[in-house]
Amino acid sequence: MLKFRRSTANVIFKTLRKMSDLSRLGLSEGKIKDTEKNVGLCTTLKNMLKEADERSVEVDKNTGTLIYNLATKLKKQEHMPAIYNLVLEKKILNDMQLVAALEYVKANPVKFEVSALEDACGVGVVVTPEQIREAVLEKIEKNLGQIKTQRYRFNSGPIMGMIRKELKWADGKLVKQEIDSQISSILGAKTAEDSKPAQKVKQKKSEKKPAAIAKEVKSEEPAELSFSGFHKPGENYTTEGYVVTNSTMRLMKEHLERTGSQVRTRFPPEPNGILHIGHAKAININFGFARAHDGVCFLRYDDTNPEKEEEKFFKSILDMVTWLGYTPYKITHSSDNFQQLYDLAVKLIKSGDAYVCHQKAEEMKGFEVKESPWRNRPVEESLLLFEDMKNGKFDEGAATLRMKCVLEEGKLDPVAYRIKYVPHHRTGDKWCIYPTYDYTHCLCDSFEDITHSLCTKEFQNRRSSYYWLCNVLEQYCPVQWEYGRLNIGYTIMSKRKISKLIAEGLVADFDDPRLFTLTALRRRGFPPQAINTFVKKLGLTGALTQLDPLMLESCVRDELNNTADRVMAVLDPLKLTVVSCDEKLPYSVTVPNIPGKEPSHEVCINNTFYIDRSDFRISTDKDYRRLSTDQTVGLKHVGMVATVTQVVHSSEGEVTEVKVKLAKLSDTNKPKAFIQWVSDYQVAEVREYSRLFNHRSPEDPEEVPGGFLTDVNTDSLKVHTAYVESRIGSPPVYTAYQFERIGYFTVDQDTCSNKLVFNNTVSLREDSGKS
């Protein structure tokens, strides 16, 4: 008897295991592991397999693929049984039919009919081999000459495409086999010549594009970001994963009446830190998309965490949005909606979709969190406790309001409200409970009638809860779209970690020009147009990449090359005294501020002028091209060549002065290089920067085991007492110049009436003349 029971138990166990084994779907081991992380999807698939077993349907590899694709691509669960029934009845036999079925559901979210579904996905349509044969024959005859000329190198893809249009539900494999068979019957067996690779046609040298043209094409800028693939206002239901309920179309109609089918986006930063280069991408995408479609973009401060928010951050965010060239349609705050959000939370509790929980924060962390013991407490009890939370009857951390939903990665019941006894900058002490991002974000999008909720990829795992919350509360539901986050190498962007750098004295503040916050980039002299161009060149993709700062610097250089006035400066001045000259000194010439453009200015050389100390050597070698005791050098703009007559040294042996004679430039005295110089000068402090970190990923423990603080480049700032042409006077802060042969420099905010300060923005392109 015992033996029989054990045998029966084993059979039952094996049957249950068979019913829930995801490997039956034909998935790889890695895919199974990924699927098991998504609790909701895993449950759906196991229930589908269970139904197949109950109906005695064999789940072969093809059926398994259809089941998996159906479960992952169809988010509107109420239509799942109708489509799944067609799969189990072998009426939907391939992925093409399944895609057609899903498209029908998207196009008909409310008016759904099974008969129309079957028509849409070709149920009952039979394409015979004879029909395929005749269709192939017709296309082959039209291309016969080309087939005989090209033989087996003939591209049969277009024929395949035309037949699939005519015979939509034809088996693709049978079509391909018929095409190959008919071509083979015409050409016969393959010859040795047919098996040789096709010879590449060599392009004549004369046909190649000149280097200058190729370079010009490469540097061409996109006018705006490309926003293809997004839905039109009112067509939310056509996007993949969008959930349609019985209220969706009514709410959509009301939304369109309010907005007039206008595109509406938002940029929703938290006012608890300084914006960085990653935010520049978000600003360009949200404001740029609205601008490209004659829509509007809100600037919404997500101010739901009062303990970290400061007034300076609010001002800085608006300042940076404006600096990048965008004007918000309206400035709003999440806190504008605190009362409405609270009222909806009460509604959520009443519908049984939220509950008050007493688990500690550490108990709710991670992805394998146990179900809360308070998840099923009575609605009336949660309502009373939530009111107690609002009225300050709990300590911080003693209670939260949690939503009954599961995020994509399997995280259970995200928190909607938490207790914080911190006054809010706008509402004061009115509230001691504050909503979380997971609860607030989608509802504020709904309140503002946002059409496209554009966010970075890390929020993709919140898309289902976004749709769930709007729908369960019967609010208009926008569409969430994700794009790849912008990361830059050799820097950090975390407010907390930058604060550590400041505390350690490694940088001055959040606007230190070595950082990649937007205030730091502005201070360093990066033009907003260059940052926008950089973002546009990256395009709108979902790829998460870490870019080299050189890409951004290239855009900056291109912009400043066209806009920055040229100035001569020497960072380490060396005095030169003229003992003789072919021209009468002082000698002046007119030079354009920017080559090839108006206006212009005068440069004047006197009996005394200064060059950079690096441009002089006592002795020379074959690679050195500038001034030495046995080599001349040209002086930019004035058309003169300097020859050393005497070198003066200090008592320590340092060169303090070089005496030279100047001659007119001629065919007989052409120098190897020309250098910048300054005669009438003013003193300026010049700050020269290099990368703040030594490694590309300073936060990566594998790359930097000791932590990012140990990776700081201690030589990333060098300060020079430089001489700059006096003609520039007292330029405004952020004025940009090209210091000829050195780089681009910008007037720093530390400049005052008796002190001119420049920041090195970017270097020039490699200059072989500086050897």
Side-chain angles (χ1 to χ4, degrees):
M1 185 70 174
L2 180 59
K3 186 176 180 181
F4 173 76
R5 286 179 179 172
R6 283 179 178 171
S7 176
T8 304
N10 286 335
V11 169
I12 294 171
F13 174 77
K14 288 178 180 178
T15 302
L16 290 171
R17 185 178 179 184
K18 177 187 176 186
M19 289 166 60
S20 61
D21 189 0
L22 296 182
S23 64
R24 295 172 60 200
L25 296 171
L27 303 178
S28 65
E29 188 176 335
K31 195 70 173 177
I32 290 173
K33 288 181 180 179
D34 288 341
T35 303
E36 287 175 340
K37 293 177 184 177
N38 188 328
V39 176
L41 175 60
C42 196
T43 301
T44 299
L45 289 169
K46 289 181 178 182
N47 288 336
M48 293 172 80
L49 286 171
K50 180 180 179 182
E51 183 178 346
D53 289 331
E54 289 172 349
R55 294 172 60 172
S56 301
V57 176
E58 181 185 354
V59 179
D60 54 22
K61 186 175 181 180
N62 181 61
T63 305
T65 300
L66 292 173
I67 291 173
Y68 184 82
N69 288 342
L70 176 58
T72 54
K73 293 179 180 179
L74 182 66
K75 304 300 181 184
K76 190 170 175 57
Q77 297 294 313
E78 60 264 39
H79 295 324
M80 176 78 80
I83 300 176
Y84 189 44
N85 184 59
L86 297 179
V87 172
L88 294 183
E89 291 182 352
K90 307 295 182 182
K91 290 181 177 179
I92 291 180
L93 298 168
N94 52 54
D95 201 51
M96 184 170 59
Q97 286 183 288
L98 181 61
V99 169
L102 297 176
E103 289 297 328
Y104 172 80
V105 171
K106 280 185 183 181
N108 301 275
V110 177
K111 191 179 178 181
F112 180 91
E113 297 176 357
V114 174
S115 58
L117 169 68
E118 292 183 352
D119 290 340
C121 60
V123 171
V125 177
V126 177
V127 180
T128 65
E130 186 59 34
Q131 286 176 294
I132 294 174
R133 191 177 302 113
E134 289 178 1
V136 171
L137 181 60
E138 181 189 349
K139 303 299 180 293
I140 291 288
E141 287 177 349
K142 288 182 179 178
N143 292 273
L144 192 57
Q146 202 174 355
I147 292 170
K148 288 182 176 180
T149 302
Q150 298 179 5
R151 291 185 60 79
Y152 285 100
R153 294 192 182 93
F154 173 74
N155 179 13
S156 62
I159 291 180
M160 183 84 174
M162 287 186 284
I163 292 172
R164 292 303 292 268
K165 283 184 179 179
E166 291 179 16
L167 305 175
K168 185 176 180 180
W169 307 114
D171 189 314
K173 290 181 180 178
L174 292 179
V175 174
K176 183 67 169 65
Q177 288 171 6
E178 185 61 33
I179 293 172
D180 292 344
S181 175
Q182 291 197 28
I183 289 177
S184 179
S185 66
I186 293 169
L187 301 178
K190 277 189 178 183
T191 64
E193 191 67 27
D194 290 327
S195 301
K196 289 181 180 179
Q199 291 185 346
K200 292 182 179 179
V201 180
K202 290 186 178 180
Q203 192 178 36
K204 295 179 182 179
K205 289 185 179 180
S206 59
E207 293 176 350
K208 289 184 178 179
K209 289 183 179 180
I213 295 176
K215 185 176 181 181
E216 184 180 331
V217 172
K218 186 178 180 181
S219 63
E220 191 173 298
E221 297 175 8
E224 287 292 343
L225 277 165
S226 174
F227 294 104
S228 59
F230 287 117
H231 70 283
K232 294 179 181 178
E235 296 182 3
N236 301 26
Y237 59 86
T238 64
T239 59
E240 183 177 347
Y242 189 79
V243 180
V244 178
T245 69
N246 292 332
S247 302
T248 296
M249 295 322 235
R250 173 182 59 80
L251 293 168
M252 186 67 65
K253 183 180 178 182
E254 294 169 358
H255 154 76
L256 293 173
E257 288 172 353
R258 291 191 296 270
T259 65
S261 300
Q262 180 186 54
V263 166
R264 294 162 78 91
T265 62
R266 80 290 170 271
F267 173 57
E270 297 178 66
N272 61 7
I274 299 294
L275 300 187
H276 52 66
I277 186 65
H279 291 108
K281 181 175 182 179
I283 291 168
N284 269 274
I285 288 174
N286 280 284
F287 282 92
F289 180 68
R291 177 185 288 179
H293 295 85
D294 297 320
V296 297
C297 182
F298 292 75
L299 170 59
R300 183 201 310 146
Y301 294 111
D302 188 16
D303 57 342
T304 59
N305 195 358
E307 63 188 354
K308 294 184 178 181
E309 293 156 6
E310 297 180 41
E311 183 61 28
K312 66 178 182 180
F313 295 136
F314 286 87
K315 293 179 179 178
S316 174
I317 288 168
L318 178 58
D319 186 24
M320 289 299 98
V321 169
T322 306
W323 177 62
L324 287 174
Y326 296 105
T327 302
Y329 163 69
K330 191 176 181 181
I331 297 174
T332 61
H333 302 72
S334 293
S335 57
D336 296 338
N337 306 300
F338 274 177
Q339 185 61 53
Q340 190 175 0
L341 290 167
Y342 175 80
D343 294 342
L344 287 174
V346 171
K347 181 180 178 182
L348 200 64
I349 297 171
K350 288 180 177 179
S351 66
D353 293 299
Y355 61 96
V356 172
C357 176
H358 304 287
Q359 284 185 301
K360 303 298 181 185
E362 55 270 19
E363 294 179 87
M364 293 186 280
K365 284 182 178 177
F367 296 100
E368 296 188 10
V369 179
K370 292 181 180 179
E371 186 177 290
S372 169
W374 292 280
R375 194 174 199 265
N376 298 311
R377 75 189 325 163
V379 168
E380 294 75 16
E381 189 175 311
S382 281
L383 285 171
L384 289 172
L385 291 171
F386 188 49
E387 188 172 357
D388 288 344
M389 285 173 60
K390 178 175 76 75
N391 293 333
K393 294 183 180 181
F394 286 102
D395 292 334
E396 284 193 19
T400 59
L401 182 70
R402 295 175 68 182
M403 299 176 282
K404 291 183 180 179
C405 67
V406 182
L407 301 180
E408 271 85 343
E409 77 272 32
K411 189 171 179 63
L412 186 67
D413 295 356
V415 172
Y417 270 87
R418 72 278 201 217
I419 301 168
K420 286 184 181 291
Y421 291 107
V422 180
H424 191 273
H425 71 105
R426 298 183 76 240
T427 60
D429 294 320
K430 181 178 180 180
W431 299 92
C432 65
I433 55 171
Y434 293 99
T436 61
Y437 174 90
D438 287 324
Y439 178 75
T440 308
H441 185 66
C442 60
L443 293 177
C444 286
D445 280 353
S446 179
F447 301 157
E448 292 173 359
D449 279 310
I450 300 303
T451 56
H452 299 74
S453 181
L454 308 170
C455 56
T456 49
K457 282 291 249 187
E458 62 259 40
F459 295 104
Q460 187 170 4
N461 60 7
R462 287 172 161 81
R463 194 198 300 172
S464 63
S465 64
Y466 183 109
Y467 293 160
W468 173 83
L469 187 56
C470 287
N471 289 329
V472 79
L473 289 171
E474 292 196 325
Q475 300 290 308
Y476 156 72
C477 185
V479 178
Q480 176 173 305
W481 290 92
E482 301 91 11
Y483 55 86
R485 185 174 179 171
L486 171 57
N487 291 319
I488 296 284
Y490 300 98
T491 191
I492 58 172
M493 299 187 195
S494 158
K495 174 193 170 186
R496 178 178 59 84
K497 291 179 179 179
I498 292 175
S499 296
K500 285 188 178 181
L501 291 175
I502 296 170
E504 295 287 332
L506 298 169
V507 297
D509 207 336
F510 284 97
D511 64 350
D512 189 295
R514 290 166 289 181
L515 297 171
F516 278 78
T517 62
L518 291 183
T519 52
L521 295 179
R522 178 173 65 174
R523 184 174 181 181
R524 185 161 176 173
F526 283 32
Q529 300 89 338
I531 294 173
N532 293 344
T533 297
F534 171 65
V535 172
K536 291 169 189 174
K537 283 186 174 182
L538 295 178
L540 191 61
T541 67
L544 180 63
T545 54
Q546 187 185 65
L547 301 172
D548 195 293
L550 292 175
M551 294 180 65
L552 174 56
E553 290 175 8
S554 176
C555 294
V556 171
R557 194 177 288 112
D558 288 344
E559 178 67 26
L560 292 178
N561 183 54
N562 294 318
T563 58
D565 284 359
R566 273 45 169 179
V567 168
M568 290 195 289
V570 290
L571 302 187
D572 187 7
L574 174 63
K575 180 180 178 181
L576 269 66
T577 302
V578 180
V579 295
S580 68
C581 181
D582 290 352
E583 298 283 359
K584 183 179 178 181
L585 299 179
Y587 176 73
S588 300
V589 293
T590 301
V591 178
N593 291 1
I594 300 173
K597 296 183 180 182
E598 293 290 342
S600 58
H601 63 276
E602 281 197 349
V603 294
C604 180
I605 190 166
N606 295 314
N607 289 312
T608 301
F609 64 97
Y610 297 84
I611 67 171
D612 200 282
R613 190 171 293 273
S614 64
D615 286 333
F616 173 75
R617 289 183 187 177
I618 295 294
S619 58
T620 186
D621 57 50
K622 64 177 183 177
D623 295 323
Y624 183 72
R625 299 161 59 87
R626 288 158 288 152
L627 186 63
S628 69
T629 54
D630 54 0
Q631 184 168 273
T632 62
V633 76
L635 302 180
K636 286 181 74 74
H637 304 307
V638 290
M640 293 186 185
V641 178
T643 304
V644 175
T645 61
Q646 184 184 350
V647 179
V648 181
H649 294 81
S650 68
S651 57
E652 289 82 22
E654 182 185 13
V655 176
T656 56
E657 181 183 4
V658 178
K659 296 185 178 182
V660 296
K661 61 180 181 180
L662 300 181
K664 279 185 177 181
L665 178 66
S666 67
D667 292 337
T668 59
N669 67 352
K670 285 184 178 178
K672 292 182 179 179
F674 287 82
I675 61 173
Q676 84 279 14
W677 52 272
V678 176
S679 198
D680 295 326
Y681 67 89
Q682 60 180 318
V683 178
E685 179 180 306
V686 174
R687 299 166 182 173
E688 202 169 16
Y689 302 101
S690 54
R691 286 174 176 169
L692 182 59
F693 293 97
N694 295 312
H695 291 83
R696 185 183 180 93
S697 304
E699 298 170 279
D700 186 346
E702 292 187 5
E703 198 169 333
V704 185
F708 73 97
L709 289 175
T710 67
D711 196 48
V712 172
N713 173 16
T714 53
D715 293 323
S716 59
L717 170 62
K718 293 181 181 178
V719 180
H720 305 274
T721 300
Y723 291 177
V724 184
E725 288 184 71
S726 60
R727 68 178 177 83
I728 66 172
S730 301
V733 174
Y734 305 134
T735 303
Y737 294 98
Q738 184 196 101
F739 287 1
E740 298 194 49
R741 294 184 64 245
I742 304 173
Y744 294 97
F745 292 78
T746 301
V747 180
D748 184 71
Q749 62 197 35
D750 288 342
T751 292
C752 55
S753 58
N754 60 354
K755 184 181 180 182
L756 183 58
V757 181
F758 284 98
N759 290 318
N760 177 208
T761 305
V762 289
S763 63
L764 296 176
R765 291 184 176 88
E766 191 63 33
D767 183 1
S768 59
K770 292 189 73 172
S771 298

